[in-house]
Amino acid sequence: MAISEFWQDAIWNTAVVALGVTALAGLLAVPYAWLLERTNLPGRRALAAMLTFPYVLPSYLLAIAWIVLANPAVGWLNLLAKQLFGFEGAWIDIYGLAGIVFIEGTALFPIVFVSFRAGLQRLDPSLEDAARMSGAGPLTVFWRVTAPLLKNTYLAALIAVLLASIASFGVPAMIGAPGRRYVLTTALYSLVKQGSEDALFLAFEISAALAIFAVLFVVLSQVLTRRKAALVGGVTSRASLTELGAYRWPAACFCWGLAALLIALPLGALVLSSFQVTPGALSLETFGLTKWVYVLTELPGFGSAVWVSLETAALAALLVVGLSLAIAIVAWTGHYGRRRRWRSLARVADGLASLAYSTPGTVLALVLILFWTAVPTLSLANTSFALVVAFVVKYMLLGLKTVEPAAFLVHPSLIEAAKLSGAGPFATLWRIWIPLLRPALLGAGLLVFMPCLSELTMSILLHGPGTENLGVLLFQLQEYADRASAAVIGTILLLTLFAFNFVAGRITREP
Amino acid sequence: MSLKIEKLSKWFAESTGPQGPKRVLNALDLEFKAGQFYGLLGPSGCGKTTLLRIVAGLDRANEGKLSLDGQAFFDAASSAFTPPEQRNIGMVFQNYAVWPHMTVFENVAFPLRIRKRPEDEIRRDVNAMLETVQLGGLAERRPHQLSGGQQQRVALARALVQRPKLLLLDEPLSNLDAHLRDIMRKELRELQRKFELTAIIVTHDWDDASRLCDRVVVLRDGHIEQDDSPAAVFERPASEFVRRITRQI
Ligand SMILES: Nc1ncnc2c1ncn2[C@@H]1O[C@H](COP(=O)(O)OP(=O)(O)OP(=O)(O)O)[C@@H](O)[C@H]1O
Ligand SMILES: [Mg+2]
């Protein structure tokens, strides 16, 4: 198959974006993680909470926020530059590949940050202390001891970012597509929107290539993290914090300033712009509640979108939790009981789940569409169950990763004791397993519920008339240039996810 | 090298009770004379590790002064502080802390590489040191291919190769079986004499302290209960608390 120029561009753009995003996220994460975990930087805990928050947000929220701030015509930063410095024309233009890299990089940065920081917390501090006692300064210790020991953790996190940036749809659709800068996911989307059978099959071929790519990287990342267990020694003491001395306050200003610029500024702008009634000049009179009233009472499709989002996310979360529990018990039985083969069965499920998780959502959605075209009797097309099925497939891994380790902590004697007390399988499940695993099950449910609530990548392909969810509605509003309404929905999502994130933090901290 | 500790106090902000922070070390005065082997003895949680880490520079005391051969390394009053990498103190950690990503040779060579010694000198010194701790044939092994006792010798070699004048040992013998423990005690004593070291060993165990050390310091809740030769501590314990420790009850 000859690849047209359109696809060559898309492949090239995807590569540029993926590498750029990975480099940006990787470069930012290491100094942040080190400063927060190993020095006496002021306000470390608050900063860590702020830096990890974008993790639960769909990255397209940052995209609409940056469009508010930095679109060339009426972006707030550009207007400010004009008003304050008499700057003519556009000062910054968010549209284009650089904009995608910047936004996606900030959105995916928490993946590397969280995993590198966890690595630092797991690392036995005496390994670093021993290097200090051997005469190495803090930076030498980092390069000669810390970095080599956490190399694999870091690479695995970079691979996760690489895959996520290849798979991302919302940001390139909003930031790249207006200037006809397509990446693979947005190109596939435009092809499918044309609707012809040929287009669908071409899309499928390209998807297959993307999926193979994902498989390769998943395998690589598994190889990288397999030996991690050997490193996790018992942590015997607390890490000694490097005193930053004279650098303490400059470092604090830089860290807080950058975090404010990358996270607080766009999210603040998003919320504020939902109150902006008329775009254009920045003044107090242009702000008001008009758009909120409009969205909540008049906007066609809003009520239905809220319902679809809640319904599909809740159903998907329930299904994932149920399936995870079942698979976890199978794995547990295989591990502790005599049914060794059950363990392998669960391993297969784990493998499939991580494969699905790393396959781009666009590809998963296309596979489902093709399947339903081929087998119309099973078709769920145009129903909200189409979304639920896609969500369960995509996010099954999040459930398994939470529930399985918790299940393995359950000592066999607990289950045997239940059996000896006369509990049948159902009673054991209901009275023992579910209460024991309650925090993990709740945590898994929330972990799945949150991304589903604001899902866009798969929903945009799978929704039918009347089954648009909030993500799709927001995307359509953004496309039809009703940005203020989009900002209202974005703000609602932001606040909801913030609340859920808070609750999830509470639940998972429980022992 | 002699180490002098004056009015040293340490508390952790996290463990603040109703009457202010609880002091882990309470106005300690101690002197460690050059070329002597000291034992730091006391129950779990009495502050032994904390004291050792403060001497090493891995932690900072809240009050007091610390000097090596009359030169102040730490002084809370003038907030003078020499970072650990400039103190030239050797330390052996309880869990050995041998770097898993380096061979035995590279582990021991690390302090010399940091000091930018020429390659041939590094090779000579490291090999000599590995012979001294009887690890001659194992230079190219990785730590996970070593037994606990061998890892301990690597840690010891790494601490000694930089020729420190002060050696700190945090319960180095507690993870070893009785036989190996006996061998290591003798070796430690010999090495200390050979390199004319001032050494401080933290231990729970009266046998370790009495067989290894010239002097024993008994700590209790952050203050010194007794500081004397092992024989004197055994025969004339300052309190019932010390007597119990020496009789191991
Ligand atoms: N980073 C810390 N924060 C708060 N409290 C601490 C910290 N490190 C030590 N402590 C407290 O200081 C006291 C002394 O601890 P330390 O580790 O020095 O005891 P130890 O004598 O070495 O005990 P062990 O024999 O069990 O090793 C303990 O009560 C401990 O809880
Ligand atoms: Mg200790």
Side-chain angles (χ1 to χ4, degrees):
Chain A
M1 178 189 76
I3 305 179
S4 69
E5 206 168 306
F6 174 73
W7 287 102
Q8 278 176 13
D9 282 351
I11 291 171
W12 173 249
N13 290 342
T14 306
V16 169
V17 166
L19 292 177
V21 167
T22 310
L24 182 64
L27 285 178
L28 270 178
V30 172
Y32 262 119
W34 187 76
L35 284 166
L36 264 62
E37 212 42 56
R38 287 289 192 264
T39 71
N40 62 344
L41 193 82
R44 294 193 297 275
R45 284 178 69 177
L47 192 56
M50 182 164 157
L51 289 173
T52 42
F53 180 55
Y55 197 45
V56 300
L57 294 181
S59 49
Y60 60 75
L61 285 189
L62 287 176
I64 51 177
W66 278 105
I67 290 173
V68 168
L69 282 168
N71 78 68
V74 289
W76 291 357
L77 295 178
N78 288 324
L79 291 180
L80 271 180
K82 198 179 285 177
Q83 281 172 16
L84 295 180
F85 312 113
F87 216 92
E88 281 311 312
W91 177 43
I92 16 180
D93 180 0
I94 198 67
Y95 293 115
L97 288 189
I100 301 177
V101 168
F102 172 73
I103 294 170
E104 203 69 60
T106 0
L108 296 179
F109 152 84
I111 295 181
V112 196
F113 172 73
V114 167
S115 97
F116 199 73
R117 181 160 171 255
L120 284 173
Q121 287 167 343
R122 269 198 320 264
L123 196 64
D124 186 343
S126 66
L127 293 171
E128 292 170 309
D129 287 342
R132 290 300 291 274
M133 298 314 295
S134 305
L139 286 181
T140 316
V141 172
F142 181 80
W143 284 119
R144 301 286 298 272
V145 175
T146 320
L149 288 175
L150 294 181
K151 190 183 67 200
N152 286 355
T153 309
Y154 184 58
L155 287 178
L158 289 188
I159 287 177
V161 170
L162 193 77
L163 286 174
S165 61
I166 291 174
S168 83
F169 170 78
V171 176
M174 291 176 184
I175 303 291
R180 303 198 54 74
R181 291 284 197 174
Y182 290 104
V183 296
L184 280 170
T185 52
T186 49
L188 282 170
Y189 169 67
S190 68
L191 207 64
V192 174
K193 249 197 347 190
Q194 293 167 13
S196 76
E197 198 103 311
D198 280 353
L200 212 56
F201 275 99
L202 178 59
F204 189 65
E205 278 176 31
I206 290 158
S207 298
L210 264 179
I212 290 170
F213 197 63
V215 173
L216 283 180
F217 275 100
V218 171
V219 172
L220 182 60
S221 124
Q222 303 244 303
V223 170
L224 280 173
T225 46
R226 204 179 31 206
R227 287 221 326 254
K228 200 167 59 185
L231 265 184
V232 188
V235 173
T236 51
S237 66
R238 281 206 221 176
S240 49
L241 299 183
T242 299
E243 305 267 341
L244 291 173
Y247 297 110
R248 189 163 183 244
W249 290 105
C253 287
F254 181 77
C255 287
W256 277 98
L258 191 63
L261 176 77
L262 297 182
I263 297 160
L265 174 73
L267 295 184
L270 172 69
V271 174
L272 212 54
S273 74
S274 72
F275 295 101
Q276 196 182 28
V277 181
T278 43
L282 274 182
S283 64
L284 268 184
E285 301 90 75
T286 60
F287 287 89
L289 285 174
T290 323
K291 275 293 169 186
W292 277 86
V293 175
Y294 167 73
V295 168
L296 293 178
T297 60
E298 284 175 49
L299 179 68
F302 176 69
S304 133
V306 170
W307 170 245
V308 170
S309 277
L310 287 173
E311 181 205 10
T312 54
L315 256 176
L318 261 175
L319 280 170
V320 168
V321 167
L323 284 170
S324 302
L325 182 62
I327 295 172
I329 293 178
V330 166
W332 185 92
T333 315
H335 186 74
Y336 290 112
R338 252 170 288 151
R339 298 196 175 91
R340 294 279 157 208
R341 218 172 289 157
W342 286 27
R343 180 95 183 91
S344 344
L345 210 64
R347 284 237 175 84
V348 172
D350 284 357
L352 287 177
S354 60
L355 198 65
Y357 186 70
S358 13
T359 306
T362 312
V363 175
L364 283 183
L366 282 173
V367 171
L368 284 178
I369 291 175
L370 267 174
F371 177 68
W372 288 330
T373 319
V375 194
T377 41
L378 290 179
S379 174
L380 294 172
N382 296 334
T383 69
S384 54
F385 294 112
L387 302 188
V388 175
V389 169
F391 293 172
V392 170
V393 171
K394 174 88 181 168
Y395 296 118
M396 193 62 219
L397 185 71
L398 299 181
L400 284 175
K401 268 195 170 170
T402 318
V403 178
E404 271 189 335
F408 274 92
L409 292 180
V410 173
H411 196 268
S413 62
L414 291 174
I415 305 302
E416 280 156 15
K419 282 189 184 144
L420 291 176
S421 326
F426 188 74
T428 313
L429 178 68
W430 195 248
R431 297 279 178 106
I432 311 289
W433 277 114
I434 292 181
L436 277 178
L437 296 180
R438 210 177 60 105
L441 296 175
L442 276 172
L446 277 172
L447 217 55
V448 174
F449 184 81
M450 287 195 281
C452 291
L453 197 65
S454 59
E455 215 281 335
L456 170 65
T457 311
M458 296 184 292
S459 316
I460 196 76
L461 290 165
L462 291 172
H463 77 88
T467 64
E468 292 90 353
N469 62 8
L470 283 171
V472 172
L473 181 63
L474 182 149
F475 186 74
Q476 289 171 346
L477 289 169
Q478 187 79 13
E479 288 229 297
Y480 305 143
D482 186 359
R483 284 193 200 135
S485 300
V488 172
I489 295 177
T491 306
I492 293 172
L493 279 174
L494 174 69
L495 298 178
T496 314
L497 290 171
F498 186 80
F500 273 113
N501 186 38
F502 186 76
V503 175
R506 278 294 150 90
I507 290 176
T508 43
R509 214 172 301 148
E510 207 174 294
Chain B
M1 190 178 281
S2 73
L3 169 71
K4 202 169 168 201
I5 293 173
E6 291 164 76
K7 297 265 171 303
L8 198 75
S9 291
K10 171 74 181 174
W11 56 84
F12 292 98
E14 293 96 325
S15 55
T16 305
Q19 57 272 58
K22 182 186 160 290
R23 288 176 178 230
V24 174
L25 301 175
N26 199 352
L28 277 194
D29 278 309
L30 264 173
E31 194 167 350
F32 298 94
K33 296 209 176 65
Q36 302 270 74
F37 212 128
Y38 286 86
L40 215 51
L41 205 63
S44 187
C46 71
K48 305 179 298 286
T49 298
T50 307
L51 177 60
L52 223 55
R53 288 175 63 84
I54 288 172
V55 170
L58 294 169
D59 265 334
R60 285 191 202 210
N62 301 81
E63 285 167 4
K65 191 175 165 184
L66 200 73
S67 42
L68 276 157
D69 280 344
Q71 183 198 359
F73 267 31
F74 171 77
D75 191 349
S78 64
S79 62
F81 177 79
T82 309
E85 63 269 23
Q86 288 164 26
R87 295 189 181 191
N88 195 23
I89 293 176
M91 185 158 177
V92 176
F93 293 81
Q94 180 166 6
N95 57 341
Y96 319 139
V98 178
W99 298 305
H101 62 298
M102 298 182 195
T103 61
V104 167
F105 184 92
E106 283 306 320
N107 262 282
V108 179
F110 186 85
L112 303 180
R113 296 212 188 281
I114 292 297
R115 289 170 175 75
K116 303 224 163 25
R117 297 282 166 73
E119 190 60 35
D120 52 340
E121 194 185 316
I122 292 179
R123 204 149 282 283
R124 193 193 61 214
D125 282 10
V126 171
N127 284 327
M129 186 54 75
L130 287 176
E131 287 302 329
T132 315
V133 297
Q134 301 173 17
L135 285 177
L138 304 180
E140 292 314 316
R141 291 260 190 114
R142 293 262 171 179
H144 65 89
Q145 301 167 315
L146 298 179
S147 71
Q150 289 167 333
Q151 289 189 29
Q152 174 132 54
R153 287 162 207 244
V154 178
L156 197 59
R158 185 178 63 190
L160 291 175
V161 79
Q162 56 185 330
R163 296 298 149 105
K165 287 293 179 238
L166 179 62
L167 180 66
L168 306 176
L169 305 136
D170 192 355
E171 309 207 33
L173 304 175
S174 60
N175 289 347
L176 305 180
D177 67 44
H179 175 64
L180 203 54
R181 212 177 159 108
D182 218 39
I183 298 176
M184 281 308 288
R185 271 184 206 141
K186 291 200 185 86
E187 285 184 12
L188 272 177
R189 187 74 221 199
E190 275 167 26
L191 286 170
Q192 183 257 342
R193 293 229 171 89
K194 181 170 176 222
F195 292 107
E196 294 168 353
L197 284 164
T198 313
I200 306 175
I201 183 168
V202 164
T203 170
H204 276 112
D205 187 71
W206 172 252
D207 272 356
D208 286 345
S210 58
R211 292 197 205 173
L212 262 171
C213 303
D214 302 306
R215 268 187 101 83
V216 174
V217 178
V218 183
L219 272 183
R220 180 189 189 179
D221 291 338
H223 70 262
I224 296 159
E225 195 86 355
Q226 192 166 7
D227 172 7
D228 216 329
S229 70
V233 172
F234 189 81
E235 280 152 25
R236 294 182 299 280
S239 63
E240 179 60 19
F241 176 82
V242 179
R243 201 187 70 84
R244 277 166 184 270
I245 286 179
T246 59
R247 305 304 190 275
Q248 304 212 308
I249 46 177

